[in-house]
């Protein structure tokens, strides 16, 4: 079975590709695809992954910083949701989203995941992976694409 780290990294890559696409096509449709990928990812990490990491005192600061970055991504995303794709700020907002997501992904992949791998047993990581996949599936069923 894939580890939680492989699952999350694969989703990071999918989001990065979609953001590149959004920067090329400038469409709101592509933005909604980004949102549909990003929302369950952020929520799943917050519900199932970060709380386990927060139990380790050495990871607490790293995780609280990650929450702040999630909030920044969510706030940029909700601004985009209320904008028209043709509006003058659209392109710069998409770029802002790109910078914010890229930065957060780098921190997770280079700092959070290696620390988590040290702190969590393989069994625990596998349990989180299964819970994450279940959560992601039911989230997508409850929030179908518009
Ligand atoms: Fe992530
Ligand atoms: Fe994250």
């Amino acid at each position: 079975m894939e580890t939680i780290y492989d699952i999350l990294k694969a989703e990071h890559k999918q989001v990065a590709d979609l953001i590149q696409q959004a920067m090329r096509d400038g469409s709101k449709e592509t933005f909604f695809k980004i949102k549909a990928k990003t929302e369950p990812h952020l929520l799943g990490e917050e519900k199932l992954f970060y709380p386990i990491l927060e139990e380790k005192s050495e990871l607490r600061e790293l995780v609280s910083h990650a929450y702040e970055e999630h909030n920044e991504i969510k706030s940029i995303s909700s601004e985009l949701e209320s904008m028209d794709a043709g509006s003058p700020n659209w392109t710069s907002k998409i770029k802002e989203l790109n910078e914010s997501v890229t930065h957060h992904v780098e921190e997770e992949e280079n700092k959070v995941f290696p620390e988590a791998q040290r702190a969590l047993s393989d069994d625990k990581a596998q349990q989180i992976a299964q819970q994450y996949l279940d959560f992601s599936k039911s989230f997508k069923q409850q929030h179908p694409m518009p």
Side-chain angles (χ1 to χ4, degrees):
M1 187 184 160
E2 277 181 306
T3 69
I4 183 67
Y5 315 107
D6 294 333
I7 295 166
L8 296 175
K9 280 182 191 173
E11 292 185 356
H12 290 166
K13 173 85 175 78
Q14 291 166 355
V15 170
D17 288 348
L18 282 169
I19 294 178
Q20 290 307 313
Q21 189 187 329
M23 293 204 286
R24 283 193 306 270
D25 70 21
S27 79
K28 191 129 183 186
E29 198 192 332
T30 308
F31 165 72
F32 279 123
K33 287 185 190 163
I34 296 169
K35 185 174 174 251
K37 276 270 167 226
T38 309
E39 233 171 19
H41 182 97
L42 298 177
L43 263 177
E45 286 182 345
E46 289 175 11
K47 267 174 75 86
L48 302 164
F49 185 45
Y50 289 178
I52 307 292
L53 302 182
E54 273 178 315
E55 289 169 10
K56 315 278 174 188
S57 57
E58 71 270 27
L59 288 176
R60 218 163 280 161
E61 210 171 306
L62 211 52
V63 173
S64 103
H65 183 66
Y67 275 116
E68 284 171 27
E69 293 180 351
H70 277 202
N71 289 339
E72 186 181 287
I73 293 166
K74 287 179 206 170
S75 123
I76 299 169
S77 186
S78 76
E79 284 182 75
L80 280 160
E81 187 158 10
S82 64
M83 283 165 75
D84 280 332
S87 77
N89 295 332
W90 180 262
T91 309
S92 62
K93 255 314 150 199
I94 291 279
K95 278 189 189 150
E96 217 180 292
L97 182 68
N98 182 38
E99 277 159 27
S100 189
V101 168
T102 304
H103 173 79
H104 178 62
V105 163
E106 273 171 15
E107 293 224 329
E108 273 189 346
E109 295 189 0
N110 299 325
K111 291 185 195 165
V112 180
F113 294 177
E115 289 290 334
Q117 260 168 314
R118 262 192 288 278
L120 303 181
S121 68
D122 290 349
D123 275 358
K124 189 72 198 167
Q126 200 159 71
Q127 187 192 334
I128 299 168
Q130 192 53 58
Q131 289 171 340
Y132 181 87
L133 291 174
D134 292 343
F135 169 79
S136 185
K137 194 174 162 195
S138 72
F139 184 94
K140 284 168 191 164
Q141 279 164 357
Q142 286 160 28
H143 303 81
M145 282 276 287

